[in-house]
Amino acid sequence: MDIALEAPTGCPSGLAPAERNDNAADPAAFVRRDAHGDETLELMVSGAKCAGCISKIEGALRALPGVSEARLNLSTQRLRVVWRAKTIEASTIVGTLARIGYAARPFDPEAAQRETDETGRRLLRYLAVAGFAAMNIMMFSVPVWSGDGEMGAATRTLLHWISALVAVPAALYAAQPFFGSAYRALKARRANMDVPISLAVILALGMSIAETLQHGAHAYFDGVVMLLFFLLIGRYLDHKLRQRARTAARDLLALQAVTAVRIGADGKTTAISARDIAIGDRLLLSAGDRAPVDGVIEDGASDLDTSMLTGETRPVPAHAGDSVHAGAINLTQKLILRVTARAADSTIAELARLIEAGEQNRAGFVRLADRAAALYVPVVHTLAALTFLGWLLAPILLRGLGFDADDVGVRAALQNAVAVLIITCPCALGLAVPAVQVVATGRLFQSGVLVKSGDALERIAQADTIVFDKTGTLTLGKPRLITRADEQTLTSAASLARISRHPLARALVAVAGPGAPAVDAQEIAGDGVEALIDGKIARLGRRGFAAPDAQDADDGAMELWFSRQGDAPVRLAFEDTLRGDAANVVATLKQRGYQVELLSGDRRTAVEAAANAAGIECWRASVNPAEKVARLHELSAQGKKVLMIGDGLNDAAALAAAHASASPGTAIEATQAAADLVIEGPLLAPLIEAIDVAKSSRQRALQNIGFSALYNVIAAPAAMAGLLTPLIAALAMSGSSLVVTLNALRLRGKGPR
Amino acid sequence: MNIIVFLIPAALFMGALGLAAFFWSLRSGQYEDLEGAKHRILIDDDEA
């Protein structure tokens, strides 16, 4: 008796609605077999939110015969299932999940190649070692500081030697990422932030050992490991952010890997991965499926939803001989396609190339921290060199001028030069930007905005022009009934509409509510639905089919006609409604001085209506993807920084080409992958919050960089003057890092509104 | 003061023990699913 299967569908805590798996791809093509006869499948599960979901999903799957492992990772929403080969079919797993109310989509195993984030783990190990060393050295440093003057030189040297025992191996181990990156930069004849860091670490260690050998007081063992500890925190935060961005993009692209159903020569159907589709294959495209490749309809007639490709909201009828582009969704009847282009050559791949071109464009963007580093490195090194030369040459110079001055010697000069390098080591600077970006993305995540990369925030903060797409972005992308029809008509029309996947029919059913479909209803592709109601022929569909004698309303709206023998036909008009807060968001953006534009691939009338309703004066209709990109280039040539918001495949290239980009969570995966931000939920308001947070995080990052600079302005002259002691160095470095981190945390303090 | 001959190694040993424990937790994949971990404590495993 399995309780999990009897529970109501979806999340038991009601945190997420039960998902329907309308057009799940057959996962069979994505099953991996190993040598022991076990089969593994990785699925992306949506709708899992809580403990109840975990136990329900894992329990239901483990109850299946042959399943040896089912583990759901709630952070990544990935489910891994392992079972004995031939005990169950892969589709049983997806079916079981669908029955308990979770949608699951297979991952392309190649794209989803389980990447364990080795770099992240290694950074954590470095961080742990540096942290351990920093804390334990304090045990020996604090007595030295507090016993200053009273402690004998022998005791101090003993404590220094113990510190060295901990610090030298720990620092040489934990500084590896900095050494490696500095070495690579120097080899390429560049200098980055890691060059002064590596220099400071090596020089400080060397000098401290030399100092200990001579029983001196200036040992910086504590400073070195503390420096590494703080720097590694910054490095780890930065890595986590980038990793999340990379994972998000890769997951989306892996999900895009669709399957297709091939009809063999013997008429048998097999599920294959889109990659394996060859030209000339015959594919079965069921209602609700997305065409994986370009092809020509060989048999059947249906309606195609191409809104993701073109922005056109109205479905297009398609018959034998018509060509179908990859990405189009088959709505009404099953079709048999003859493939004319492989996946890599299809329309989608063409768009992918446009996306890549756009992303290369964006590579020119220099991150705030890198710009600061470029200024910082030469200044610091010049200062250190000046300190060394100054201490060496000043006595000679003074004597030449007739003053009485003793030589300080190479050792003291070197000591002061190294002190400058240690104290100016960009500890706070390394934390300044990542700390802010981690807090900012965390806060936005709570408001339903997924930020895919840290520099996305920097770019969004710079934007001054905002370009919207219409279908699915400003609008919901779903038609809504605007005609007021009487109850009787609505109920009868809906009973016909229930058997269709056509978006207008769906919209009609949504208004009518639950009910039974009409008996004997038949869908005629490209025309509509016909059925008998109380013995009379009733028709729902386009005018030529349902009401050939009626007058054309000619107002450009989407329409369905409903007729029943003997009654006058009724026209049902639909409209793609704006998102609830679209007009408000546009008004707010304009009020803040943004230039707002609308670029849509849809018809002129539809775009004009939406632009008027949303309050956008500058709009263009019937724009194809390449023209969208061209318009963005035109704007950036004028010196504008464009934030593009779009959802369709036709927007993906423009999103990549824009300075920054966002897409709603309803967007197709490739588009979400191309966008910097993904906004969940039915409203656009999170966009405003994202812009606000991006701006304040930029401000906060600049403050932090400013603070680091200020700290150096005070500390560097002290070090150059030879006033630095190990205690001051330790206090100054940890103090500045703390201030920078606390300043970043203030961003969270405001809380989501 | 001779006591520090024992205390220092003892303190370092305990620190190193903590470090080793962290490495073990890292290797055993306890940081792979932080989101799921907080929910899993609520699940009863009586079926097992």
Side-chain angles (χ1 to χ4, degrees):
Chain A
M1 191 65 203
D2 199 327
I3 295 158
L5 290 182
E6 287 190 343
T9 62
C11 177
S13 316
L15 295 172
E19 302 251 353
R20 284 186 45 164
N21 226 11
D22 275 342
N23 43 349
D26 187 335
F30 295 128
V31 173
R32 261 176 301 169
R33 275 170 202 86
D34 66 8
H36 310 295
D38 282 334
E39 299 195 324
T40 307
L41 178 66
E42 291 217 17
L43 294 164
M44 189 84 167
V45 178
S46 45
K49 295 275 182 219
C50 67
C53 297
I54 298 180
S55 59
K56 207 161 121 179
I57 290 174
E58 293 183 354
L61 291 181
R62 287 201 188 113
L64 292 175
V67 173
S68 55
E69 186 193 328
R71 186 139 182 116
L72 176 71
N73 185 326
L74 210 55
S75 317
T76 57
Q77 304 273 302
R78 284 205 209 167
L79 173 69
R80 190 180 132 87
V81 191
V82 183
W83 68 94
R84 290 298 297 172
K86 300 201 183 76
T87 46
I88 47 168
E89 291 292 321
S91 51
T92 318
I93 292 168
V94 177
T96 306
L97 288 170
R99 200 166 61 244
I100 58 175
Y102 298 93
R105 286 183 292 173
F107 253 83
D108 181 343
E110 254 174 55
Q113 201 45 266
R114 199 162 169 71
E115 192 182 303
T116 41
D117 186 16
E118 201 36 58
T119 326
R121 278 182 172 205
R122 215 174 316 140
L123 276 175
L124 261 184
R125 279 202 294 271
Y126 294 140
L127 187 61
V129 168
F132 158 80
M135 283 188 275
N136 283 281
I137 288 176
M138 276 304 133
M139 207 153 61
F140 316 114
S141 291
V142 172
V144 172
W145 298 335
S146 54
D148 192 30
E150 293 167 35
M151 185 181 282
T155 317
R156 191 177 61 199
T157 305
L158 173 71
L159 291 177
H160 278 166
W161 275 125
I162 300 173
S163 303
L165 204 69
V166 179
V168 174
L172 289 182
Y173 175 72
Q176 281 179 51
F178 305 103
F179 291 162
S181 147
Y183 175 70
R184 278 192 297 278
L186 288 177
K187 222 168 89 174
R189 300 182 178 284
R190 285 183 295 107
N192 61 8
M193 199 74 106
D194 294 328
V195 175
I197 292 172
S198 306
L199 256 180
V201 168
I202 292 170
L203 285 176
L205 280 180
M207 197 188 77
S208 303
I209 292 174
E211 194 61 17
T212 311
L213 278 171
Q214 297 172 25
H215 305 289
H218 285 260
Y220 292 98
F221 294 117
D222 47 3
V224 174
V225 284
M226 197 153 40
L227 178 88
L228 286 172
F229 181 55
F230 285 125
L231 282 171
L232 282 166
I233 292 178
R235 200 53 62 100
Y236 182 68
L237 291 180
D238 198 47
H239 170 82
K240 281 282 274 192
L241 258 185
R242 285 163 188 244
Q243 183 64 22
R244 195 158 75 194
R246 261 198 299 269
T247 316
R250 213 193 35 230
D251 284 1
L252 289 169
L253 287 176
L255 278 177
Q256 214 192 332
V258 280
T259 53
V261 180
R262 176 158 58 193
I263 310 173
D266 52 357
K268 269 195 191 159
T269 56
T270 39
I272 55 170
S273 141
R275 236 176 314 124
D276 302 331
I277 299 174
I279 295 180
D281 277 356
R282 292 171 77 225
L283 301 181
L284 178 69
L285 200 64
S286 308
D289 282 356
R290 191 187 296 278
V293 290
D294 293 351
V296 175
I297 300 175
E298 202 173 82
D299 196 13
S302 180
D303 296 277
L304 296 175
D305 176 355
T306 58
S307 63
M308 281 297 179
L309 283 169
T310 58
E312 162 78 61
T313 34
R314 196 177 288 193
V316 197
H319 308 280
D322 289 348
S323 61
V324 177
H325 291 296
I329 301 172
N330 180 16
L331 289 171
T332 39
Q333 303 275 311
K334 71 181 173 197
L335 291 173
I336 293 173
L337 281 190
R338 183 166 289 282
V339 177
T340 55
R342 292 182 314 128
D345 306 320
S346 291
T347 324
I348 291 190
E350 194 56 47
L351 286 166
R353 271 190 281 283
L354 275 172
I355 294 174
E356 258 171 48
E359 274 165 359
Q360 272 162 16
N361 238 349
R362 205 185 267 172
F365 175 78
V366 186
R367 309 196 324 152
L368 208 54
D370 293 340
R371 264 182 298 175
L375 277 174
Y376 193 82
V377 175
V379 171
V380 166
H381 285 183
T382 315
L383 282 182
L386 282 179
T387 311
F388 180 68
L389 289 177
W391 279 90
L392 210 58
L393 300 179
I396 303 170
L397 219 73
L398 286 173
R399 276 204 298 277
L401 290 171
F403 291 98
D404 184 28
D406 289 333
D407 274 340
V408 290
V410 178
R411 180 183 154 205
L414 199 62
Q415 211 171 57
N416 289 331
V418 172
V420 171
L421 279 181
I422 296 175
I423 198 75
T424 56
C425 200
C427 192
L429 202 53
L431 273 172
V433 180
V436 170
Q437 288 178 344
V438 165
V439 176
T441 50
R443 177 173 161 195
L444 284 176
F445 187 72
Q446 282 178 347
S447 319
V449 181
L450 173 70
V451 182
K452 298 228 310 268
S453 68
D455 44 320
L457 283 174
E458 293 179 25
R459 282 182 302 185
I460 286 166
Q462 289 177 340
D464 52 17
T465 304
I466 295 179
V467 176
F468 283 100
D469 166 50
K470 182 184 78 77
T471 315
T473 307
L474 269 188
T475 67
L476 287 165
K478 283 181 195 150
R480 207 177 52 116
L481 181 67
I482 47 171
T483 309
R484 289 194 178 279
D486 62 276
E487 194 76 13
Q488 172 65 34
T489 315
L490 205 58
T491 319
S492 327
S495 71
L496 265 67
R498 261 183 205 102
I499 70 151
S500 173
R501 278 173 185 273
H502 196 283
L504 295 183
R506 284 283 167 96
L508 189 60
V509 175
V511 176
V519 195
D520 301 334
Q522 260 195 333
E523 185 162 25
I524 298 122
D527 278 337
V529 183
E530 190 182 73
L532 286 177
I533 296 180
D534 305 331
K536 290 177 185 166
I537 296 174
R539 283 178 163 184
L540 176 73
R542 59 187 190 88
R543 187 169 55 93
F545 167 71
D549 307 326
Q551 272 292 315
D552 189 356
D554 205 24
D555 59 357
M558 292 176 281
E559 57 176 21
L560 277 181
W561 286 83
F562 176 67
S563 65
R564 215 156 40 151
Q565 248 177 346
D567 293 347
V570 183
R571 178 176 185 261
L572 302 162
F574 296 84
E575 178 185 78
D576 185 11
T577 47
L578 288 184
R579 285 179 189 259
D581 59 349
N584 271 337
V585 166
V586 170
T588 316
L589 289 172
K590 283 207 282 195
Q591 195 190 338
R592 298 199 185 171
Y594 286 101
Q595 183 185 328
V596 182
E597 251 182 58
L598 179 62
L599 285 183
S600 175
D602 207 352
R603 287 160 299 119
R604 201 186 153 79
T605 41
V607 179
E608 187 171 11
N612 286 340
I616 301 175
E617 289 90 24
C618 185
W619 54 268
R620 289 168 191 223
S622 315
V623 194
N624 71 32
E627 286 166 356
K628 284 196 181 189
V629 174
R631 174 62 186 154
L632 292 185
H633 284 318
E634 201 175 300
L635 283 169
S636 68
Q638 292 169 18
K640 304 265 196 253
K641 302 251 197 272
V642 182
L643 168 58
M644 166 93 202
I645 299 128
D647 80 314
L649 266 179
N650 59 330
D651 300 311
L655 290 175
H659 189 63
S661 54
S663 77
T666 46
I668 191 164
E669 287 87 8
T671 312
Q672 290 190 31
D676 291 323
L677 292 183
V678 178
I679 300 164
E680 300 292 341
L683 295 180
L684 278 176
L687 179 70
I688 304 252
E689 183 172 0
I691 293 175
D692 283 348
V693 171
K695 283 197 157 173
S696 50
S697 77
R698 177 185 166 79
Q699 207 181 359
R700 215 38 59 87
L702 284 174
Q703 273 173 16
N704 277 350
I705 291 175
F707 174 79
S708 314
L710 181 75
Y711 150 81
N712 280 320
V713 165
I714 296 167
M720 289 172 79
L723 298 173
L724 189 68
T725 65
L727 175 59
I728 295 179
L731 284 179
M733 270 185 310
S734 47
S736 64
S737 300
L738 266 179
V739 169
V740 165
T741 311
L742 289 177
N743 191 33
L745 285 175
R746 280 203 307 150
L747 203 58
R748 196 181 52 179
K750 284 183 198 164
R753 271 159 302 205
Chain B
M1 279 298 276
N2 290 337
I3 193 71
I4 61 169
V5 174
F6 299 102
L7 282 182
I8 289 176
L12 283 179
F13 175 73
M14 295 207 311
L17 216 61
L19 189 65
F22 176 75
F23 279 168
W24 167 78
S25 68
L26 191 64
R27 189 161 315 156
S28 63
Q30 297 189 24
Y31 300 90
E32 303 281 296
D33 181 16
L34 295 175
E35 191 61 31
K38 72 181 180 198
H39 289 297
R40 277 181 197 277
I41 50 173
L42 300 172
I43 302 175
D44 303 321
D45 307 332
D46 354 302
E47 66 217 277

